[in-house]
Amino acid sequence: MHDTGTVTKPAPAPQHEDSSDKHARRFGLPIATALVMGNIIGGGIFLLPASVAPFGTISLVAFGILTLGAIALALVFGRLARQTPKTGGPYVYAREAFGDFAGFLASWSYWITAWVSNAALAVAAVGYLDVLLPLHGSVLWSIVAALTVQWLPALANLAGTRYVGAVQLVSTVLKFAPLFIVAVGGLFSFHADNLGPFRASGDSPLGAVSASAAILLFSYLGVESASVSAGEVRNPERNVGRATVLGTCLAALVYMLCTLAVFGTVPHDKLVGSHAPMSEAVNAMFGGTWGGTAVALSALVSILGALNGWTLLAAQTPYAAAKDGLFPAVFTKKKRGTPTVGVLVTVVLASLLTVYNYTAGSAGVFETLVLVTTFTATVPYLLATAAQIYFLLSGQGHKVNGARLARDMVLALAAFGFSLWLVGGAGYAAVYQGVLFLFVGVLVYAFIAARKKRAATA
């Protein structure tokens, strides 16, 4: 906003433009928690056990370490949301601490992450749908299925936040019920002989933990979900932090229990080469061969819930930036509690990327874009945690609780370290290409900032 990089202090309380609209409804603690849980857990849980099996049960240690880092990040977002309970999450915190440019980078990178990830989730959903309704490799029907999976959650968003919350709560219950059954069933079908070696890869303990962590690192993306939608949450100073920590802890519990259940029910040598570990675990627990169908249904519900939540977040971040003049003004259009233009632009871009994935025939291009988002997702995390460190060290009394200064600093440093670990886990190629995406954003910011400057001096 100013050439010095400072910004006007935001209002202490969020505004809800659609409070009188019967289709707009602010989220309570249960729905805010469901938003966090649903966005953290998409379809990956159904493949994770096989992905880390080659490293042995030491991967559970990596899971534990990552969970602590994710909880630290969740606690920091809770603190920041209590201080500034506004829609936008990391964008709001980065802009308030470091100015417009940092805020724009947080918004830009988060937006890219959301719509590219939505395309990836839709493609993954088609793979599970093929189990229920065989598409026989048809490109046309695969495109139709992927676009349907994307547009249904988008329509729920356009119908209003009342329906977004309802879909999120129902999908969370539906997808966690079967996962809970797997976790509990694993206790009764657990055989220690199936676990295999503690270190199966032959790496050193540190090497095995780091290697398995690189696969698991991105399982916790989405912890910021409640803070991004803080303006739509009732009593955000209280509920955003609670929903963030509660949702993260519950998602971590599901991850750990389901992974342990699969480890204990599917023989290690079979699990290493499995393409459907959860299905094989269900078959081992309950007998029969119906596990594939049951898991495919659960995965579809899980992905639809994740798409529902991520579509909202993909619209909320540019909406918050647009209100501050850092994104095109058209993104401020809001109806029934939902930023309608943001939803439409997001689903259109994701749809175009999905069609490109099925028609271009260039192997690896789509996978590369998805990998890039694992880097762009961490940029807002680094900026938000750095903002918290800035608030703690700059002596801003209204931003700091003196009694908790040391504890909050330890949490902020741990969360920043966890975010750096996420960047490292993305790999050199993803970081390199992700930086190019950010530099494109720099050019976009130059145009927006110049236009804003001309308007201010006119």
Side-chain angles (χ1 to χ4, degrees), residues 117-418:
S117 296
N118 277 10
L121 283 169
V123 171
V126 171
Y128 291 112
L129 184 62
D130 196 39
V131 176
L132 305 172
L133 302 171
L135 303 174
H136 304 296
S138 169
V139 172
L140 174 61
W141 285 112
S142 293
I143 291 175
V144 170
L147 295 183
T148 301
V149 167
Q150 285 178 346
W151 279 87
L152 285 177
L155 292 175
N157 272 265
L158 292 173
T161 51
R162 176 180 182 178
Y163 302 98
V164 174
V167 170
Q168 199 65 28
L169 190 58
V170 170
S171 65
T172 299
V173 171
L174 288 178
K175 78 176 173 182
F176 283 105
L179 292 176
F180 179 75
I181 291 173
V182 170
V184 174
L187 297 178
F188 297 97
S189 305
F190 191 94
H191 296 286
D193 293 341
N194 290 331
L195 291 175
F198 181 64
R199 282 189 293 125
S201 62
D203 296 328
S204 66
L206 180 60
V209 169
S210 298
S212 55
I215 296 173
L216 299 169
L217 277 171
F218 310 106
S219 302
Y220 286 108
L221 294 181
V223 298
E224 74 292 340
S225 301
S227 66
V228 172
S229 296
E232 311 305 327
V233 177
R234 287 197 298 268
N235 191 8
E237 297 89 344
R238 180 185 182 90
N239 285 334
V240 168
R242 289 185 171 189
T244 301
V245 175
L246 185 59
T248 302
C249 289
L250 289 174
L253 183 63
V254 170
Y255 275 143
M256 292 285 284
L257 289 180
C258 285
T259 302
L260 185 60
V262 175
F263 275 14
T265 53
V266 181
H268 180 262
D269 56 348
K270 185 178 181 180
L271 181 60
V272 170
S274 175
H275 295 290
M278 206 72 79
S279 296
E280 295 187 16
V282 170
N283 290 338
M285 291 175 196
F286 305 107
T289 58
W290 53 274
T293 301
V295 169
L297 280 170
S298 298
L300 278 173
V301 171
S302 180
I303 291 173
L304 283 170
L307 279 167
N308 181 64
W310 277 106
T311 299
L312 176 64
L313 300 190
Q316 294 282 25
T317 300
Y319 163 78
K323 289 192 68 177
D324 295 324
L326 298 181
F327 245 70
V330 68
F331 281 90
T332 61
K333 292 186 180 300
K334 199 172 188 182
K335 189 175 182 181
R336 299 176 175 178
T338 303
T340 51
V341 172
V343 170
L344 288 171
V345 171
T346 293
V347 71
V348 167
L349 288 173
S351 297
L352 291 174
L353 183 56
T354 301
V355 173
Y356 174 76
N357 170 66
Y358 285 110
T359 59
S362 301
V365 174
F366 187 72
E367 289 77 5
T368 299
L369 284 172
V370 172
L371 188 59
V372 166
T373 66
T374 60
F375 165 71
T376 57
T378 61
V379 173
Y381 291 177
L382 287 168
L383 289 170
T385 51
Q388 174 70 339
I389 293 171
Y390 166 77
F391 293 141
L392 292 171
L393 293 178
S394 60
Q396 299 186 49
H398 67 291
K399 292 290 180 187
V400 177
N401 186 320
R404 291 201 304 254
L405 181 60
R407 185 176 65 181
D408 284 351
M409 180 58 73
V410 170
L411 282 174
L413 291 173
F416 189 86
F418 176 67

Side-chain angles (χ1 to χ4, degrees), residues 7-11 96 398-399:
V7 297
T8 304
K9 191 183 299 182
E96 188 171 355
H398 67 291
K399 292 290 180 187

